[in-house]
């Protein structure tokens, strides 16, 4: 499909990085463009046994033929971005929109010292909230003012819309997750912007009619970092026993966890107009599913869960992740007639 948007369906950390990087290799998009809040996101991409952690670049970075872009709605931390550009040698294929907001040291300091943000909300401390405050006040800097970024700055919405109108494949990567959306999440325990599919499109500068598919990503269980409700939350001991205890990419904090939540999944499909579902970490829930590449080789209980998700959400589960490596993925799009 020419334009596919990929978003998180729970509280972030659903494994979007893994799904997006798989699709980047498989579908070979011309452009991968990132929407979302900013460097508060941490995406882990494992490709050819190498683990990559990304906070600013699109997770499609592993496909060297794909042009990488960052939409105008995304906050850029120039230091984090420059480090990743160097690390992935991406300088020749990255465009940052000239109007991306800039995170400065003062924003990071505020995010880390403010009693409400740090103490009550439990933010990632990456400066996103305070930088978005300045953006709304119209006092914040934008990327075209930063000399260090001059050679990477361009008109992302124009390039993305031009590619879409030529029928080229474009992947739009969301960050965070539906229930930490400023508008639709568990307010006030949320991030500083809406992060549902429509907001991700607005970040990039494409309208609703430009989108062909919305893939919402769920993990096989639910996790959450920071404060706020988590229905069915397990004790840390129980999470550890089940192998669900995770550590956050950006902050190193322990993630809280709970079983898969069908109610939340159903609502996330609605809020994002999802046309497809991707489910990750199936190998953690069903060890016999580890590294499976065919639906038919999944254990019966795993297949049953897929059917239940489809029944409850009335949406096809088209991609199933069965391991951290990009290759450990079941792609059902063809057999379901979705390609
Ligand atoms: P902020 O986005 O740093 O302001 O943090 C606000 C809330 O959103 C906190 O509970 C964070 O843990 C959470 N959050 C922000 N970004 C992510 C993410 O990428 N994954 C998971 N949680 C996130
Ligand atoms: Mg993450």
């Amino acid at each position: 499909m020419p334009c596919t948007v990929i978003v998180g369906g729970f509280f972030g950390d659903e494994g979007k990085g893994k799904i997006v990087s798989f699709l980047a290799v498989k579908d070979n998009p011309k452009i991968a463009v990132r929407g979302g809040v900013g460097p508060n996101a941490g995406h882990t991409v494992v490709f050819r046994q190498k683990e990559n952690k990304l906070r600013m670049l699109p997770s499609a970075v592993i496909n060297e033929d794909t042009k990488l872009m960052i939409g105008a709605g995304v906050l850029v931390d120039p230091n984090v971005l420059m480090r990743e550009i160097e690390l992935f040698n991406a300088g020749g294929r990255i465009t940052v929109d000239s109007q991306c907001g800039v995170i400065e040291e003062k924003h990071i300091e505020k995010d880390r010292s403010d009693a409400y943000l740090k103490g009550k909300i439990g933010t990632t401390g990456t400066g996103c909230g305070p930088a978005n405050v300045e953006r709304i006040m119209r006092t914040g800097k934008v990327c075209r003012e930063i000399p260090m970024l001059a050679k990477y700055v361009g008109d992302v919405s124009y390039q993305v819309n031009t590619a879409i109108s030529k029928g080229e494949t474009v992947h739009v990567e969301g960050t965070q997750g539906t229930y930490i959306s400023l508008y639709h999440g568990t307010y006030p325990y949320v991030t500083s912007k809406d992060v549902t599919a429509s907001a991700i499109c607005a970040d990039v500068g494409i309208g609703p009619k430009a989108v062909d598919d919305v893939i919402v990503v769920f993990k096989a269980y639910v996790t959450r970092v920071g404060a706020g409700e988590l229905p069915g939350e397990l004790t840390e001991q129980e999470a550890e026993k089940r192998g669900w205890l995770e550590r956050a990419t950006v902050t190193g904090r322990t993630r809280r966890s709970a079983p898969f939540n069908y109610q939340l999944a159903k609502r996330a499909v609605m809020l994002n107009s999802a046309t497809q579902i991707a489910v990750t970490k199936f190998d953690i829930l069903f060890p016999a599913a580890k590294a499976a590449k065919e639906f038919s080789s999944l254990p019966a209980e795993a297949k049953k869960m897929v059917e239940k998700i489809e029944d409850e959400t009335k949406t096809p589960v088209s991609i199933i992740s069965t391991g951290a490596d990009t290759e450990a993925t079941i792609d059902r799009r063809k057999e379901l007639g979705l390609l």
Side-chain angles (χ1 to χ4, degrees):
M1 281 295 157
C3 182
T4 302
V5 180
I6 302 115
V7 290
F10 288 146
F11 299 90
D13 307 311
E14 300 89 354
K16 286 180 299 297
K18 150 74 198 256
I19 298 299
V20 167
S21 59
F22 168 79
L23 293 173
V25 173
K26 187 99 189 240
D27 298 354
N28 196 25
K30 259 267 158 41
I31 293 175
V33 57
R34 200 165 151 319
V37 183
N40 50 350
H43 290 159
T44 305
V45 175
V46 184
F47 185 55
R48 299 197 177 128
Q49 280 85 49
K50 193 170 168 282
E51 186 174 273
N52 305 291
K53 292 199 185 288
L54 297 159
R55 289 173 56 197
M56 292 270 29
L57 292 181
S59 301
V61 68
I62 59 166
N63 183 340
E64 289 174 8
D65 298 328
T66 297
K67 283 194 209 160
L68 308 172
M69 299 190 187
I70 300 179
V74 179
L75 292 164
V76 168
D77 180 328
N79 298 318
V80 177
L81 177 65
M82 292 303 290
R83 218 179 302 134
E84 291 184 9
I85 289 177
E86 252 169 59
L87 195 63
F88 295 95
N89 194 21
R93 57 186 175 115
I94 172 95
T95 309
V96 178
D97 198 277
S98 63
Q99 303 241 76
C100 286
V102 175
I103 296 178
E104 296 177 74
E105 204 48 46
K106 62 179 175 186
H107 301 131
I108 298 174
E109 270 163 33
K110 169 94 176 152
D111 207 8
R112 291 188 181 166
S113 60
D114 188 90
Y116 184 78
L117 290 176
K118 183 175 187 275
K120 183 169 171 165
I121 306 297
T123 70
T124 59
T126 51
C128 290
N132 270 334
V133 168
E134 279 215 53
R135 182 85 195 222
I136 287 165
M137 292 299 286
R138 284 144 289 177
T139 55
K141 287 195 173 126
V142 292
C143 278
R144 64 169 178 264
E145 299 171 72
I146 310 295
M148 179 166 88
L149 298 179
K151 62 179 176 197
Y152 308 121
V153 160
D155 186 344
V156 167
S157 53
Y158 179 76
Q159 292 195 51
V160 169
N161 281 289
T162 304
I164 292 171
S165 62
K166 282 198 238 162
E168 292 173 347
T169 302
V170 172
H171 287 176
V172 182
E173 304 182 14
T175 58
Q176 286 75 40
T178 299
Y179 294 101
I180 58 170
S181 157
L182 179 62
Y183 299 155
H184 304 291
T186 53
Y187 186 87
Y189 301 102
V190 293
T191 190
S192 52
K193 258 181 41 184
D194 183 20
V195 289
T196 57
S198 324
I200 300 299
C201 291
D203 288 342
V204 168
I206 55 175
K209 284 171 68 189
V211 175
D212 299 287
D213 266 304
V214 176
I215 302 180
V216 66
V217 183
F218 299 121
K219 190 151 62 182
Y221 47 93
V222 186
T223 60
R224 165 159 216 180
V225 280
E229 68 190 74
L230 177 60
E233 181 170 358
L234 304 178
T235 61
E236 198 170 309
Q237 201 186 8
E238 179 59 25
E240 176 108 68
K241 209 169 103 197
R242 297 189 190 192
W244 297 2
L245 202 63
E246 300 177 0
R247 229 164 254 290
T249 316
V250 175
T251 58
R253 291 181 290 184
T254 303
R255 291 180 185 150
R256 302 152 60 199
S257 60
F260 190 92
N261 188 315
Y262 291 91
Q263 272 331 94
L264 290 181
K266 209 169 153 174
R267 189 170 168 83
V269 164
M270 174 189 84
L271 290 168
N272 292 291
S273 293
T275 58
Q276 297 179 33
I277 290 170
V279 186
T280 63
K281 300 240 178 174
F282 241 48
D283 55 310
I284 305 288
L285 220 53
F286 310 105
K290 178 104 195 144
K293 290 182 185 176
E294 301 293 335
F295 185 73
S296 57
S297 60
L298 285 178
E301 42 177 357
K303 287 183 187 156
K304 234 186 222 156
M305 183 170 171
V306 170
E307 278 161 24
K308 179 153 189 215
I309 295 171
E310 292 183 327
D311 269 2
E312 295 272 347
T313 61
K314 308 280 177 267
T315 307
V317 174
S318 58
I319 296 165
I320 300 165
S321 170
T322 57
D325 203 278
T326 303
E327 319 246 296
T329 311
I330 300 170
D331 185 355
R332 304 175 73 209
R333 289 176 299 168
K334 217 176 204 161
E335 80 186 56
L336 296 174
L338 299 168
L339 271 185

